[in-house]
Amino acid sequence: MATTSAFQPNARGYYGEFGGAFIPEMLYPNVEELREQYLTILADPDFQRDYQQLLRDFVGRPTPLFEAKRLSARYGTRIFLKREDLCHTGAHKVNNTVGQILLAQRLGKTRIIAETGAGQHGVATATVCALMGMECIVYMGKTDTERQRPNVERMRLLGAEVRPVTSGSQTLKDATNEAIRDWISNPVDTHYIIGSVVGPHPYPDLVARLQAIISEEIRKQLLEKVGRELPDYVVACVGGGSNAAGAFYHFLDEPSVKLIAVEAAGKGIKSGHSAATSVLGKPGIIHGSRTLLMQDEDGQITEPYSLSAGLDYPGIGPLHAFLGASGRARFISIEDEPALRAVAELSRLEGIIPALETAHALAALDQIGAGPEDIVVLNLSGRGDKDLDTYLKYAEQMH
Amino acid sequence: MNRIQQAFQKKGKDLLNIYFTAGYPTLDATVPLIQTLAAAGADLIEIGMPFSDPLADGPVIQQSSTAALANGMNMRVLFRQLQDIRQTVPDTPLLLMGYLNPVMQFGVENFCRQAAEAGVDGIILPDLPLDDYVNEYQEIFRRHNLKPVFLITPQTSEARIRRIDELTDSFLYLVSGPGTTGGQNTQSEGVQEAYFERIAAMNLRNPRLIGFGIGDKASFARACSYAEGAIIGSAFIRALEGAEDAPAAAKAFVSSVLH
């Protein structure tokens, strides 16, 4: 696994002023154990053999890099879609859970916990736990269990226990709180598989490294297809930011590659119903990390809104906060409505129904400034099956 | 010597530390509760600064925090409420307990200055990393004569406990077992006993208070047999829940633990 330099966290887990590990003492030994061992385990040939084999034979990697010609014609540039929607379980999330379950085994853990919002990470975690015969408990906000019912059933079918979370606003933020509380209560036998590049160090780096396979493949595939490894633009949606971290990773130190991170503006930046953390957030601490987060003037964390359950997180990963602050990445916010229009557009132009999260990245294509000679890689992070109800409701409103 | 150290020196053992959430059950309950607790025999008082996402807390303190925020509690209101507290409660050590983010947004310097002006003695911020405390906070705390309190758990290594002891001039907060506040202890008494005795045998500079899962006369007495005293939080807040007269409920609760 190649590493990049300028955008790696320092020894204390900081990207610039963002990152760190702000955790109660009860979590300290767990997080410290992980910090001390993750790089060694990830570099171990035995781990790499198992990880690569599972990515190939179980996940179905490499995922294709597909030149979307009709979409390209529509936007007057050359667009390639990185087909993470074709991963087993339907999204990029499984790249991380495959790696973390192997890590958990090597740490001697027997019980797995996870948080989930839309349910994609929960399903990906339940899937690898079934594969490895490990106990799996998924925390999910009660509101989300109701609006993402099919994913709850999938997790249960896979043998996981889904625990609806009734504290706070009953969504992803609260599910994460509850998973952390479970870890506090079960410090010895349990590994917490965080689903995004958030949480205390080393999680943001761990998850970014496990998702980095996305950009590793993009470079090789682009070289085969167009004779150069570097695109002009890489576009990805950002909730916590795991698919963007994976798509950006091997381009971070390539300044010619413009990195575009697309957030959910919900009903509009100024509407009070938004999840555009890079615009609305201030530095603070959420889930053990110093990063940008949406909060009121008293430092109470506020509830974000997006029609997409995978983007309504009140923070962003510390790497992304740093990419924004340093100017390395450009952030664009997309509202619900244009995202929904982008779903219909990609479906009809390319025969691909994208996830609502991914649709935010698609809806930003006319804002990135790409010209006819440019090569744009858009990370198609997930497929849209889970969002069909939302899409149908929107289609009805349009008639 | 600070008020915390004086309290330990004066009594030596069986110290009762009561936690409650500021602004709960009503916004203006903070000061009457401190006065009642001190008069009823609490040896130390922890004033919880409510936070939207209290990671180390169980359901009872989460709910009291949510209620307190809905009641309008915030740092400015709290310091306004506390500004004359030392006129009526001169000696009982007061500690502020909460999470780092609201303190950061208020400004650490500003927070420490106002806490010191109100007569607060100690600060407990469970998610403040030890290294960050040393590098960024220690000097400010010292300048305002505020004493940090750090948590120790059954998994905390001996070297780390010694380091925490070195950085402390108040007491060590011994978390009784794995779990958040107010949880039932799942480990056997033998395991817990071995942990408390291991810490006691380390001959640390600071006295120890045991917290998490202590809630009545029996559990308080048992904790006191392994340490200088204990901390009660969730059980006290449960006693305030739905009480028409919060100070009366507080007085009855403390009495039930001590007598």
Side-chain angles (χ1 to χ4, degrees), chain A residues 123-249:
Chain A
V123 169
T125 304
T127 298
V128 295
C129 286
L131 178 70
M132 298 300 178
M134 282 167 89
E135 186 184 357
C136 179
I137 290 141
V138 179
Y139 289 91
M140 188 171 185
K142 191 162 175 293
T143 308
D144 289 336
T145 62
E146 285 156 11
R147 64 180 175 177
Q148 305 283 342
R149 192 84 215 153
N151 272 343
V152 174
E153 296 309 329
R154 287 167 83 195
M155 286 184 266
R156 288 188 176 142
L157 196 60
L158 290 160
E161 181 189 341
V162 179
R163 293 190 182 162
V165 173
T166 54
S167 60
S169 54
Q170 311 189 359
T171 59
L172 177 57
K173 165 176 86 81
D174 311 286
T176 308
N177 289 343
E178 223 46 60
I180 291 173
R181 288 179 186 125
D182 180 305
W183 210 20
I184 286 174
S185 304
N186 299 282
V188 180
D189 64 344
T190 299
H191 176 69
Y192 176 20
I193 301 189
I194 290 188
S196 192
V197 287
V198 302
H201 177 63
Y203 275 109
D205 188 42
L206 170 63
V207 177
R209 284 169 184 264
L210 293 173
Q211 293 291 358
I213 185 73
I214 299 172
S215 46
E216 192 181 317
E217 288 176 4
I218 292 172
R219 287 184 76 126
K220 283 186 203 147
Q221 291 168 322
L222 212 52
L223 182 64
E224 282 168 21
K225 286 177 197 299
V226 301
R228 60 168 159 124
E229 285 184 58
L230 302 183
D232 298 290
Y233 294 86
V234 179
V235 186
C237 64
V238 172
S242 67
N243 93 78
F248 293 169
Y249 197 85

Side-chain angles (χ1 to χ4, degrees), chain A residues 62-138:
Chain A
T63 58
L65 185 70
F66 172 68
E67 182 163 8
K69 292 195 171 151
R70 298 185 68 206
L71 191 72
S72 296
R74 159 80 177 78
Y75 288 99
T77 186
R78 200 170 170 194
I79 300 169
F80 289 83
L81 301 175
K82 180 59 174 164
R83 296 291 309 276
E84 293 300 299
D85 60 317
L86 294 178
C87 287
H88 179 40
T89 71
H92 72 288
K93 290 289 186 190
V94 72
N95 302 328
N96 170 45
T97 61
V98 161
Q100 284 207 45
I101 198 89
L102 294 171
L103 180 70
Q105 287 179 326
R106 281 156 179 80
L107 292 170
K109 306 290 181 178
T110 56
R111 179 176 175 272
I112 298 296
I113 54 171
E115 85 295 340
T116 197
Q120 291 304 103
H121 173 60
V123 169
T125 304
T127 298
V128 295
C129 286
L131 178 70
M132 298 300 178
M134 282 167 89
E135 186 184 357
C136 179
I137 290 141
V138 179

